[in-house]
Amino acid sequence: MRPLTEEETRVMFEKIAKYIGENLQLLVDRPDGTYCFRLHNDRVYYVSEKILKLGANISGDKLVSLGTCFGKFTKTHKFRLHITALDYLAPYAKYKVWIKPGAEQSFLYGNHVLKSGLGRITENTSQYQGVVVYSMADIPLGFGVAAKSTQDCRKVDPMAIVVFHQADIGEYVRHEETLT
Amino acid sequence: MKANREKKRLFVGGLGQAISKTDLQNQFSRFGEVSDVEIITRKDDQGNPQKIFAYVNIKVAEADLKKCMSVLNKTKWKGGTLQIQLAKESFLHRLAQEREEEKAKKEKSTTDNINVLEKMGGIDFQMKAVPGTEVPGHKNWVVSKFGRVLPVLHLKNQHKRKIMKYDPSKYCHNLKKIGEDFTDTIPITSLTWELEGGNDPMSKKRRGEFSDFRGPPKKMKEMQKGKGSTVSPRTSRLSENSTSTQRGAAQKMPCASLIPNSSPVPDSGSQKLQSVPFQISDLETARKRNSMSDDDIDSEDELRMLIAEEENLQRTAWSSTNESENDLFEVVSDDFKSDVHKLHSLSGLGINNGSCRVSDGIMGSDHEYDSGDTDEIIAMKQNISKAKNSAEISQTEKPMHNKTLKKKEFSNHCNKVQKRKINKESALSNGVKPLNHKSSDASSGDDEDSEGDEEYKAIMKNCTRVNLTLADLEQLAGSDLVVPEDSESSGPETTCCKFDRASKSPKTPRTLGQGQRCIHPEEILASLLEEENTCGKQKPKENSLKSKFQAFRGVGSLYAKESVKKTLKESVDSNNINENQSSLKLEDPSSISVENESLCVNGSSSKLSQQHPKTINSPNHTLPQKRQFTFQTQDHKIVSSSKRGGRNSVSSLLPLKGKKSLSLSAKTYKIGIDKDSCHSTKKTVAASEEEGSDSSSLTSLEKLPEVSPRKDTQEGTTDISHSISSSANVNAKDKYAEDNQKRLAALEARQKAKEVKKKLVHDALANLDARPEDKPTHIIFGSDSEDETEETSIQEQRRPGKEILKESVGKASGQLFDSSDDEELDSEDDIDRFKIKPQFEGRAGQKLLDLQSHFGSDDRFRLDSRFLESDSEEEQEEVNEKKTAEEEELAAEKKKALNVVQSVLHITLNNPTSKGSVAAKKFKDIIRYDPTRHDHATYERKKDDKPKESKAKRKKKKEEAEKLPEVSKEMYYNIATNLKEIFQTTKDTHEKEEGTARNEDGGGDEMEEIRSAAALTSGTEQPSGFMFSFFDSDTKDVKEETYKVEEVKPGKTVWKGNPHFQDSSSEEEDVTEETDCRRSSPGEASVPEKETTRFFFFSKNDERLHGSDMFWSGVGSNISRNSWEARTNSLRMDCRKKHKEAKRKVKSK
């Protein structure tokens, strides 16, 4: 467990900023306590100071996880967000996509969001913008990348992919073993 | 010709309404023999016939049919165009036909099975199922794998142009289903039967029965048999066998019923040979299945079948029914069963404890010593329980029951025939279960004829037991003699438990009788006791209590039985044993009756074995008798009763004493048991028993249930029941009466002791409950504040608290619990406290104490001497430093992160160095406002100063807003009345104007008239009314205007500019000027209209406008304005005054 290097921080922040933009600073600089990012087993954990202190008592090889896992660094040193980060992305998300109840299941099974399942979308979403996917009842379901801009979404046929799937809360069941 | 005639069904459409059946019949009888005409009329919602058509059943030759079609089709007949088509056969007809066919086929197959075979040139293929053997007499046909006869194919290779020989015996995967119409071979009816009562694995599974993994060996056997049959000449029997084997094989397959037909069948001629026998076998199976399903309902048939089967004694596929019944049970051993039993009973009571295990072990041993007989008995018992608790017992018991049957098979000391019988019986009981006990009686009657053995007796007992339960239940429902705890709702449950016990208790003596007699009883007793105790503990109701005693009684009965066994043990022969057991069984009912506590049944229980049907009626008769018997029995047992009396007295004295007395009572009880056992069994047994009872008593002491006040009544009832039962026993068998009495005495003593215990516990518990009410605040654990005080004081304070606690505990527990544990704990705590103590000594110690108190009493944050090395202050500083260092680290990290964020987002952030405040500022927008927090006061908007000032304003405005509309309303009415006149006058003027040139004077006069009229109506209400009229109250208006202007201006200067007033006043001024102008005009010559610009509809000085002028002025401005002005003036004055006052105040300050 160690703090992130600057490069790692940059990579990670760039990724997160795709979803929450300037709100990223709210994650870094929180009024309700000091939170920090820690790297452990290639995974980045968002940890409060308190938990960090407690976690320091556990040896590295025994430590499975602490705080909230935001994602992991791939071997190529890219950062990949995990679904566990959704709790922090959803409140700050700038671009949102709401999907219809009928398409919820499909999305939660790891499929992309088709236009037919698109219930609502934040306007002026640009293409390849990171978006957080909500159900129509405003329950965050996951996140992904907008495959089409809002304008394009209007034109495309109903079976066209609108949002590329990246992570969804179905992974809590599907990838239970890898989520830490 | 007639032979050609076939029965056809014709559809005749497009009929007219007038056509009748006879018409049709006549029409069609030309062509053939019309058997039936059916006219169908389709109607729409109103009932008008839309479509009329008919079905005509006609026996007609082909040619005639054609003729008929050509002649009649599309001809007009009685108002309709006929349409004739061949129709499908009517459903009913077809069904009937099918049935007939089926019947015919059956007959055929059954009667001349072989004939058919021979006729078709069939060959028995089952003779050699070895793959690769050629079928004799048929070239290129071989037995393939899976025993099928298949042709050797010569196939042309696709690529090589070479003819390949395909030998099916060398390839496994040559099974392919070729679709056939199954209606020919298997009619629908048989299919449906199949679904219901088939004994193939699929349907079995569908019914929830799962067969064991028994298939392969059986198959082997079949194969062997098949081989054997090849050697012998073909007989009917053999063919039957073969077919049955085939069928068995078929049944093994998943889609069993249809497979034989669906075997790969090439279209060659020789193929028929094969298919025919298959078909036949199929038919047979179908028939058999039919019979099978019948058997399911008809037990007699089944019986016969089973007997026939027993004759066979070979395990053919036919026997699969039985086997499949037994199949389910193979896996589970006796232990499991007992476990389930226990579980069942326990789960009813909500307990599971170690006693289970003990008894399990016993069961295991039981298993070892089992002979066929015991098994049977057990099975019987289970059957009983099953029959009785059919409503309550879940299906889990069913397999159990079956298990025992299975076990029987394994332990196989008896003949198979016997087993079959047992099976039969069990099946009977199974079948009977849904029915009433009546039917079971009948079935047992049937059995009577066939077998008069012990089994029969056991069965009978089953029946009687069923009766007993029924009677019991009836009693529970109806009579007042019901034991109080047996409330109707819980009745079935308790009975269920009882029967579990009952079934258990007879089982155990067998084991005793067979083997380790001296060791087991105590264990059983202990387990039972334990179980019961726990039961009582868990269950608030007294059901458990009752069951307990029943169980005890059961134990008692065990001993009794044991003794019986001993006496009869001399005869070691198996038959003798059987007899013995049967006699035991004879006794069983009585014991059961004791257990049941059914008052009525006891008397008749002795007769039950002989006259089971009477039992139902007997209870009522026996009721009065029993009372008498009780006295008699009491006379009978002089010795025992005296003993008992002594014991009773002892036990009655017990409650006064305490824990020790409790143990005493337990001991006395033990003695009672001992005596019992002495009488019945050897002394050694008694000794061992003492130990067992010791343990049991201990357990009972430790685990004491709650007791409700109902105890006493219960006691009374149980006593009565005891006596009654004992009397019954005496009546039944004088031989065992003494034993019984003694047992009962012991039981009573035990019961009393129990009750005493319970009372004690109850009292103690009541005390415990009452305690907190008395002094709830006495149990005080050291609080933080106390910690802060000096150590010694803490100690002192804690001590008393603990003591109090201890006291309370001790009081609560009374003599029930060993207080040694508590003391130990206490002492440990004390030691701990003392350990910590020395650290607090001295100044440093005090500081440490402070620290501790600061951190709270949580152990995790206890600061021990490690934190107090040399000087606590230094330590604290260090800690602070550490903290700060960490914080700094984190802050630096955060800074870095923020920098990265900045670079990533390409935005400039506020300086994040000042952590708290800056962050707070930054997050101001997302901070949740908490009104209770003081620092959030900064987020509150201060409205204190402003509102004070604005209040007056608001008030003013409100008043204005409120009062203005009122006035205008009144005015509106007035004007409205005027409006009509106005319009009339304008009309007049128009008329006048038409005649003469326009004259200002005339117009002015008219206007004056109008005005005066208006004034008449509203003049009183508008004393200072301002009007746009020409003549009236000009001076007043002007005056007011000037006055107003004067007033406003000072106001303006004082107030911070009120544009409203300014505007309005200026307007008014303008208006006054205008009026002034006009006022001057009337005196002069008429002013030409053209001087003003002309509008589209009216000129500027249009008279009509004048009228309307007055109208709107009347509504809106005049009065309202007047009142408003007056009010504003006053308000303004007020305001000014207030303002001045405020100013003064400020100055003074």
Side-chain angles (χ1 to χ4, degrees), chain A residues 13 25-26 29 38 53, chain B residues 886 893 901 909 922-923:
Chain A
F13 280 0
Q25 57 174 304
L26 304 184
D29 197 9
R38 282 286 179 275
K53 276 179 189 162
Chain B
E886 273 178 22
E893 197 186 318
V901 167
L909 297 171
K922 244 185 252 167
F923 282 95

Side-chain angles (χ1 to χ4, degrees), chain B residues 221 309-310 312-315 319 322-323 409 412-423:
Chain B
K221 265 183 198 169
E309 191 190 310
E310 283 157 20
N312 252 344
L313 268 181
Q314 289 177 346
R315 276 199 186 171
S319 68
N322 260 342
E323 272 163 22
E409 272 198 351
N412 246 337
H413 291 294
C414 311
N415 287 337
K416 261 198 177 178
V417 187
Q418 261 189 339
K419 256 185 266 166
R420 293 291 179 214
K421 278 171 198 165
I422 294 150
N423 277 345

Side-chain angles (χ1 to χ4, degrees), chain B residues 163-194:
Chain B
I163 288 176
M164 278 176 57
K165 190 183 170 194
Y166 177 81
D167 194 351
S169 64
K170 283 166 188 166
Y171 296 93
C172 268
H173 306 289
N174 52 1
L175 292 176
K176 202 155 199 183
K177 207 172 181 178
I178 294 174
E180 275 185 42
D181 61 337
F182 303 118
T183 50
D184 290 357
T185 49
I186 294 184
I188 296 158
T189 49
S190 66
L191 267 182
T192 52
W193 278 118
E194 190 87 61

Side-chain angles (χ1 to χ4, degrees), chain B residues 877-1055:
Chain B
E877 275 175 25
E878 240 177 84
V879 169
N880 283 342
E881 276 172 29
K882 247 191 197 172
K883 251 190 185 176
T884 51
E886 273 178 22
E887 276 172 11
E888 269 174 28
E889 240 173 67
L890 284 173
E893 197 186 318
K894 195 199 267 180
K895 209 174 175 182
K896 226 193 269 177
L898 280 174
N899 283 335
V900 174
V901 167
Q902 234 166 324
S903 64
V904 165
L905 297 174
H906 309 296
I907 52 163
T908 54
L909 297 171
N910 313 359
N911 199 11
T913 44
S914 59
K915 286 159 276 170
S917 60
V918 169
K921 261 184 196 170
K922 244 185 252 167
F923 282 95
K924 204 190 275 175
D925 45 350
I926 59 158
I927 279 177
R928 201 156 279 174
Y929 170 67
D930 186 7
T932 57
R933 279 175 63 173
H934 291 292
D935 53 343
H936 277 209
T938 52
Y939 304 125
E940 286 172 9
R941 197 171 283 169
K942 278 157 194 165
K943 297 173 183 176
D944 300 350
D945 16 6
K946 257 203 175 176
K948 270 179 194 169
E949 273 189 322
S950 62
K951 251 180 204 168
K953 257 191 199 172
R954 253 185 276 151
K955 218 184 259 173
K956 265 186 259 163
K957 275 177 190 171
K958 248 186 222 167
E959 278 172 0
E960 285 167 16
E962 279 171 12
K963 282 175 188 175
L964 272 175
E966 285 172 19
V967 181
S968 68
K969 255 185 196 169
E970 285 171 19
M971 261 327 282
Y972 183 75
Y973 273 115
N974 291 332
I975 299 306
T977 49
N978 282 349
L979 193 59
K980 200 181 176 184
E981 288 175 359
I982 290 160
F983 280 121
Q984 279 175 346
T985 53
T986 49
K987 265 185 191 172
D988 291 346
T989 54
H990 275 290
E991 282 166 7
K992 276 179 188 173
E993 278 168 7
E994 275 174 28
T996 60
R998 283 193 180 172
N999 204 345
E1000 190 65 32
D1001 283 346
D1005 290 339
E1006 282 169 2
M1007 285 313 295
E1008 203 179 4
E1009 277 178 16
I1010 293 157
R1011 202 215 53 77
S1012 61
L1016 274 172
T1017 55
S1018 61
T1020 52
E1021 290 180 19
Q1022 20 178 309
S1024 62
F1026 171 75
M1027 292 188 135
F1028 289 99
S1029 55
F1030 297 100
F1031 306 112
D1032 190 36
S1033 67
D1034 290 341
T1035 55
K1036 240 189 201 171
D1037 283 352
V1038 173
K1039 268 182 195 169
E1040 277 184 7
E1041 283 305 309
T1042 53
Y1043 176 64
K1044 222 190 285 169
V1045 170
E1046 282 170 6
E1047 264 196 22
V1048 165
K1049 270 177 184 170
K1052 248 191 247 168
T1053 52
V1054 175
W1055 293 64

Side-chain angles (χ1 to χ4, degrees), chain B residues 474-488 599 717:
Chain B
E474 274 176 81
Q475 269 197 345
L476 284 174
S479 70
D480 296 330
L481 283 169
V482 180
V483 200
E485 66 264 24
D486 244 6
S487 62
E488 286 180 2
L599 307 170
T717 51

Side-chain angles (χ1 to χ4, degrees), chain B residues 303 307 310 417-426 428 443-460:
Chain B
L303 265 178
I307 289 161
E310 283 157 20
V417 187
Q418 261 189 339
K419 256 185 266 166
R420 293 291 179 214
K421 278 171 198 165
I422 294 150
N423 277 345
K424 215 184 301 164
E425 279 156 16
S426 65
L428 271 172
S443 62
S444 60
D446 286 353
D447 291 335
E448 256 185 301
D449 301 333
S450 56
E451 312 118 17
D453 292 33
E454 32 166 287
E455 279 134 26
Y456 150 66
K457 275 171 197 166
I459 276 266
M460 268 212 307

